Amino acid sequence: MTQQIAPQPDSGEDFSRRFRNALGMFATGITVVTTRTSAGEPIGLTVNSFNSVSLEPPLIVWSLANSLPSRELFEGCEYYAINVLAEGQAELSQRFAGRMGEKFAGLEIDEGPGGVPLLKGCCARFICRNTVRHAGGDHVVFISEVIGFDRDERAPLVYFGGSYRRLAP
Ligand SMILES: Cc1cc2nc3c(=O)[nH]c(=O)nc-3n(C[C@H](O)[C@H](O)[C@H](O)COP(=O)(O)O)c2cc1C
């Protein structure tokens, strides 16, 4: 029998909670997006809205909440990096999901163009030129050109249903 899904009211607490829960059924990896401010301070946040867009030219996408204090800093930077976290890096995901502060304390890092901080021990790292941004509801959507990348043969950190997971062997 054909099941129908009726249009649902797009507001209210119940809608938001159910919408989030449904979105959480889409398993993703976890990244930390990093850059350096014009004052030289490294900044970064945990992001799972990352995805690929285009091979030629090489483009990726991710979105950043309008409400975040780091929004203006990312909008204004020339380069940033997407660090794809590996299986053992849930602690880094938690650290970079906290409010702005000393997120890089005690971390050994590599560097990209403009001193962009790159995390060590990741599955892959993409260096992006901050080119195009679109308003997307309560987020800013970044579509950026990848100008360099590397990868390492490691198992990824997986996010599903609001929890960290591992790939089944
Ligand atoms: C698994 C996970 C995924 C997240 N994905 C995003 C995302 O795609 N975009 C976003 O704006 N915030 C995302 N967040 C929330 C930010 O990491 C969080 O708000 C962080 O505190 C922002 O850092 P800031 O306060 O230094 O700006 C995510 C958090 C977690 C735990």
Side-chain angles (χ1 to χ4, degrees):
M1 206 171 70
T2 307
Q3 254 194 319
Q4 305 279 349
I5 299 183
Q8 296 164 53
D10 64 354
S11 61
E13 223 171 88
D14 184 52
F15 176 89
S16 302
R17 187 181 45 77
R18 288 186 304 110
F19 185 43
R20 273 175 193 236
N21 290 346
L23 291 175
M25 299 307 288
F26 183 58
T28 66
I30 299 215
T31 72
V32 173
V33 184
T34 52
T35 192
R36 199 173 284 278
T37 67
S38 50
E41 187 202 352
I43 60 167
L45 80 158
T46 301
V47 160
N48 75 334
S49 53
F50 168 73
N51 219 320
S52 53
V53 173
S54 161
L55 288 176
E56 278 182 40
L59 298 175
I60 56 86
V61 65
W62 64 287
S63 60
L64 175 62
N66 290 336
S67 57
L68 290 180
S70 54
R71 189 191 85 161
E72 278 184 19
L73 299 170
F74 276 101
E75 282 183 327
C77 73
E78 190 174 359
Y79 302 104
Y80 65 83
I82 306 274
N83 301 268
V84 180
L85 297 188
E87 194 172 74
Q89 294 184 309
E91 186 275 324
L92 277 185
S93 172
Q94 286 304 106
R95 177 197 287 231
F96 280 92
R99 295 332 302 253
M100 280 185 100
E102 297 290 298
K103 295 185 184 181
F104 286 83
L107 281 188
E108 215 192 310
I109 53 167
D110 296 323
E111 285 194 350
V116 166
L118 301 169
L119 303 184
K120 288 183 183 282
C122 293
C123 295
R125 303 181 297 187
F126 299 92
I127 295 163
C128 306
R129 197 195 310 278
N130 183 12
T131 38
V132 176
R133 291 174 303 281
H134 299 282
D138 56 10
H139 281 62
V140 185
V141 180
F142 287 71
I143 297 182
S144 303
E145 184 191 354
V146 174
I147 58 163
F149 62 91
D150 63 5
R151 76 184 269 263
D152 211 329
E153 207 64 48
R154 294 171 198 264
L157 182 61
V158 176
Y159 196 65
F160 174 72
S163 308
Y164 298 110
R165 309 288 183 118
R166 292 166 169 236
L167 280 189

